[in-house]
Amino acid sequence: MKRDLKFERFYPHPPERVWKALTDPDALAAWYMANDFKPEVGHKFTFHTDTGHGFDGVLYCEVILVDAPHELVYSFIGGFMKRKTTVRWLLTAQEGGTLLRLEHTGFTGLTDAAVSFIIGSGWGRFLAQLPSLLDRL
């Protein structure tokens, strides 16, 4: 079983501002999670969130690709995920703003597919919080 997550959102802000929200550690923490992110290929970093039953609240990642301000890719694993997954952010300039596409792939097997439902609802909530930060950047 395989299940990939894909989201698209249009934000009335330039790609450089959206890029900052995705790559500046303080901005990223304001709408997503506490982190020690650096937009450098090979950088290993973590996201920190609330703990839960069987989850220590730490997600482990590594930057795979940085093409500012167009594309950012990193690996993502933690909690009940059995394999590394991949998070890919694509930013496309459009008239009046930026089309942001998020692809979170690599959920295979029954357990990972089930986890993807939880992560998918989380991405939806986080993406809804992004506009208020973009207005302040």
Side-chain angles (χ1 to χ4, degrees):
M1 175 175 239
K2 181 180 175 181
R3 182 169 187 267
D4 293 335
L5 303 172
K6 294 180 181 167
F7 300 89
E8 280 190 358
R9 301 288 189 276
F10 177 81
Y11 298 109
H13 304 282
E16 293 76 18
R17 189 177 302 184
V18 178
W19 181 260
K20 182 176 180 178
L22 298 176
T23 60
D24 177 270
D26 293 330
L28 192 54
W31 71 274
Y32 188 46
M33 286 187 256
N35 64 87
D36 56 346
F37 180 81
K38 290 181 188 174
E40 300 170 359
V41 173
H43 176 67
K44 293 181 180 179
F45 67 100
T46 53
F47 285 116
H48 296 268
T49 189
D50 297 332
T51 59
H53 182 67
F55 176 48
D56 64 1
V58 182
L59 297 163
Y60 301 89
C61 307
E62 182 175 350
V63 179
I64 297 168
L65 175 79
V66 177
D67 179 17
H70 309 288
E71 184 176 9
L72 174 66
V73 182
Y74 49 83
S75 64
F76 187 96
I77 190 168
F80 295 104
M81 283 186 280
K82 302 299 181 196
R83 293 168 203 77
K84 281 185 184 178
T85 59
T86 302
V87 174
R88 181 179 186 215
W89 299 95
L90 294 164
L91 290 73
T92 305
Q94 293 188 339
E95 186 173 333
T98 303
L99 178 66
L100 177 65
R101 180 177 176 96
L102 163 61
E103 300 171 353
H104 193 163
T105 61
F107 298 99
T108 57
L110 190 56
T111 301
D112 284 354
V115 168
S116 75
F117 281 99
I118 297 166
I119 290 174
S121 69
W123 279 127
R125 284 191 318 278
F126 288 124
L127 290 170
Q129 296 177 69
L130 186 52
S132 65
L133 172 73
L134 291 171
D135 290 340
R136 297 189 314 265
L137 287 178

